[in-house]
């Protein structure tokens, strides 16, 4: 997609919120969003898209234009990351139905750090709140960002705990970024905007409809190497996030709770199904293969560790990382070649490559190529 097509992509995305399937259909029919915008009703019908949508396009074209959409985003203080942008996170792009566009406020540098999702019950107990806050603080202090949905209860405590550390937090909303939900989290929202990253696939003005939250959960897991569930009832939105994580090849973990509490039903169910039991942050390191010593700085150097106030130790590669090194020693390889050599799915490969890029072992190049960091 060319840069000139970007305003038209955002016009369709904002006006109709078509979702990925609808956007793909429009793009495949016309070859660009600019051509789709300029097409007349007869061309839309000939493309098989439908007369009602074609008529709606004509009406909206008269009401607001692509340049006005860009101006509205600027006035809202929001920016947009499209799936064709270099900064679009590889982990997220590896999942089914990844968003065509992400609206955000804050620093995109957050997307270069390793991340763990912490989710759980809205009506959380004091025990659950304390555990979520402590795990998030420990992760953040060790250089791993915490992803959550800014809901009441466990999500909010996870964000608060992560904000006390060096790696901060990412909040994924089920509404437009100009509508903070729940309203009581406005202060938390502002703090995350200043110290972390808030994002949504929904354009400004989109209300927090109930159907948006399951879709939001796939992004929470998609941005993360693993998901930790802290308190959940037997039927809980947090379990939807865990299900997405399993589908996406992420590590799913759960914190045990009192057997007498209904808030333990969901987490204990996950443990019975094979989720890793989490009693401390060390359990997360063991399950995901992430290392607490190599974090925010992409070079993974002694200086980065010193700035993060973490003791330096030489990096120990796991088996998958050793394989990547072996293949790249022969020269640059693109993602397709690495998938063929490894036999891994795109999600597993993207996770390993992201970890190695964070650690400063490999570098990504245009065309989905990867090289060793020592290569020129």
């Amino acid at each position: 997609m060319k840069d000139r097509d970007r305003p038209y992509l955002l016009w369709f995305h904002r006006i109709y919120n078509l979702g990925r399937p609808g956007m793909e259909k429009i793009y495949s029919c016309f070859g660009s969003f600019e051509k789709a915008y300029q097409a007349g009703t007869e061309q839309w019908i000939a493309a098989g898209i439908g007369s009602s949508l074609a008529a709606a396009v004509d009406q909206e074209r008269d009401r607001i234009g692509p340049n006005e959409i860009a101006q509205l985003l600027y006035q809202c203080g929001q920016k947009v990351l499209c799936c064709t942008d270099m900064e679009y996170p590889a982990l997220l792009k590896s999942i089914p139905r990844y968003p065509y566009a992400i609206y955000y406020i804050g620093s995109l540098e957050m997307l270069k750090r390793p991340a763990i999702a912490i989710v759980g019950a809205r009506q959380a107990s004091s025990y659950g709140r304390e555990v979520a806050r402590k795990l998030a603080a420990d992760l953040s202090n060790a250089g791993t960002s915490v992803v959550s949905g800014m809901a009441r209860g466990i999500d909010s405590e996870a964000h608060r705990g992560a904000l006390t550390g060096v790696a901060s937090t990412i909040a994924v909303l089920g509404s437009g970024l100009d509508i903070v939900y729940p309203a009581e989290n406005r202060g938390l929202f502002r703090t995350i905007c200043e110290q972390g990253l808030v994002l949504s696939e929904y354009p400004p003005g989109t209300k927090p409809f109930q159907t948006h939250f399951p879709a939001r959960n796939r992004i929470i897991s998609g941005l993360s190497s693993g998901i930790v569930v802290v308190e959940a009832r037997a039927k809980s939105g947090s379990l939807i996030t865990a299900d997405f994580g399993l589908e996406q090849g992420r590590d799913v973990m759960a914190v045990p709770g009192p057997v007498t509490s209904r808030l333990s039903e969901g987490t204990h169910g996950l443990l019975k199904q094979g989720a890793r039991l989490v009693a401390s942050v060390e359990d997360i390191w063991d399950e995901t293969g992430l290392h607490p010593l190599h974090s925010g700085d992409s070079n993974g150097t002694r200086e980065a560790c010193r700035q993060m106030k973490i003791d330096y130790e030489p990096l120990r590669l796991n088996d998958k990382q050793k394989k990547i090194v072996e293949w790249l020693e022969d020269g640059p390889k693109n993602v397709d070649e690495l998938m063929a050599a490894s036999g891994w799915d795109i999600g597993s490969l993207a996770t390993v490559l992201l970890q190695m890029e964070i650690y400063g072992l490999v570098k990504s190049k245009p065309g989905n190529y990867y090289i060793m960091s020592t290569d020129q």
Side-chain angles (χ1 to χ4, degrees):
M1 186 181 72
K2 297 180 180 179
D3 287 343
R4 62 181 293 173
D5 210 25
R6 186 187 184 94
Y8 299 94
L9 181 157
L10 296 178
W11 186 85
F12 280 105
H13 193 262
R14 175 185 169 85
I15 298 301
Y16 298 110
N17 192 23
L18 293 168
R20 183 165 181 80
M23 299 290 284
E24 283 183 336
K25 185 172 184 179
I26 291 173
Y27 190 82
S28 64
C29 286
F30 293 98
S32 76
F33 291 104
E34 181 181 13
K35 290 180 179 177
Y37 177 82
Q38 295 171 345
T41 302
E42 292 183 0
Q43 292 173 280
W44 275 72
I45 296 174
I49 290 181
S51 57
S52 60
L53 182 55
V57 168
D58 283 338
Q59 292 175 2
E60 294 296 341
R61 193 185 291 114
D62 294 336
R63 191 179 71 85
I64 191 169
N67 291 334
E68 293 173 273
I69 296 291
Q71 182 64 26
L72 285 172
L73 287 172
Y74 176 78
Q75 291 172 354
C76 291
Q78 299 181 30
K79 297 181 180 179
V80 183
L81 188 63
C82 292
C83 61
T84 52
D85 294 337
M86 290 290 292
E87 297 88 351
Y88 198 94
L91 264 183
L92 185 60
K93 204 167 186 178
S94 73
I95 71 171
R97 299 181 296 108
Y98 59 86
Y100 239 89
I102 297 173
Y103 303 85
Y104 71 93
I105 302 173
S107 173
L108 285 183
E109 290 297 310
M110 296 290 303
L111 298 176
K112 298 180 181 179
R113 296 172 178 167
I116 294 292
I118 296 180
V119 296
R122 287 174 169 81
Q123 302 299 325
S125 69
S126 57
Y127 160 80
R129 292 172 183 271
E130 181 180 355
V131 170
R133 193 164 53 246
K134 177 67 164 57
L135 285 175
D138 289 345
L139 286 167
S140 182
N141 275 315
T144 297
S145 298
V146 173
V147 185
S148 200
M150 216 180 76
R152 296 183 180 94
I154 297 301
D155 288 24
S156 295
E157 295 305 320
H159 289 308
R160 292 188 179 102
L163 286 167
T164 66
V166 293
S168 196
T169 189
I170 299 172
V172 185
L173 304 193
S175 62
L177 299 185
D178 56 336
I179 300 176
V180 179
Y181 179 82
E184 67 204 49
N185 274 349
R186 285 173 181 162
L188 178 61
F189 172 86
R190 287 192 294 268
T191 303
I192 299 175
C193 288
E194 294 168 358
Q195 300 180 24
L197 178 66
V198 181
L199 58 84
S200 174
E201 67 177 318
Y202 300 109
T206 305
K207 295 181 179 180
F209 296 115
Q210 187 174 359
T211 54
H212 290 175
F213 292 98
R216 179 274 311 268
N217 292 348
R218 87 188 191 285
I219 299 177
I220 292 176
S221 58
L223 289 169
S224 310
S225 295
I227 300 98
V228 179
V229 182
V230 183
E231 293 194 327
R233 295 179 182 269
K235 295 182 179 179
S236 165
S238 302
L239 301 184
I240 296 175
T241 308
D243 287 341
F244 277 126
L246 290 172
E247 292 174 8
Q248 297 164 2
R250 309 301 194 249
D251 295 308
V252 175
M253 297 157 277
V255 175
V259 296
T260 55
S261 173
R262 294 188 64 187
L263 292 172
S264 301
E265 292 174 352
T267 50
H268 289 181
L270 289 173
L271 293 171
K272 290 176 182 178
Q273 295 169 34
R276 174 65 180 258
L277 187 151
V278 172
S280 69
V281 73
E282 284 74 19
D283 295 317
I284 300 175
W285 304 140
D286 291 343
E287 181 68 9
T288 62
L290 294 176
H291 296 271
L293 303 177
H294 301 271
S295 44
D297 185 86
S298 61
N299 293 320
T301 60
R302 293 176 185 268
E303 177 62 17
C305 292
R306 185 191 68 78
Q307 292 178 358
M308 303 288 284
K309 300 179 182 178
I310 300 170
D311 293 333
Y312 175 84
E313 286 184 6
L315 179 63
R316 292 176 294 228
L317 301 182
N318 61 34
D319 290 342
K320 287 187 175 181
Q321 292 164 347
K322 289 177 182 177
K323 283 291 186 182
I324 295 292
V325 170
E326 180 183 325
W327 293 319
L328 293 185
E329 281 179 343
D330 296 332
K333 298 284 189 301
N334 65 31
V335 169
D336 291 336
E337 291 174 310
L338 292 173
M339 285 181 64
S342 65
W344 307 333
D345 59 59
I346 184 61
S348 299
L349 178 61
T351 298
V352 177
L353 290 171
L354 176 63
Q355 291 172 356
M356 295 183 73
E357 192 168 4
I358 289 166
Y359 300 158
L361 296 171
V362 303
K363 291 181 180 178
S364 58
K365 294 292 183 180
N368 283 329
Y369 276 85
Y370 283 83
I371 64 171
M372 296 299 297
S373 292
T374 54
D375 297 337
Q376 299 298 320

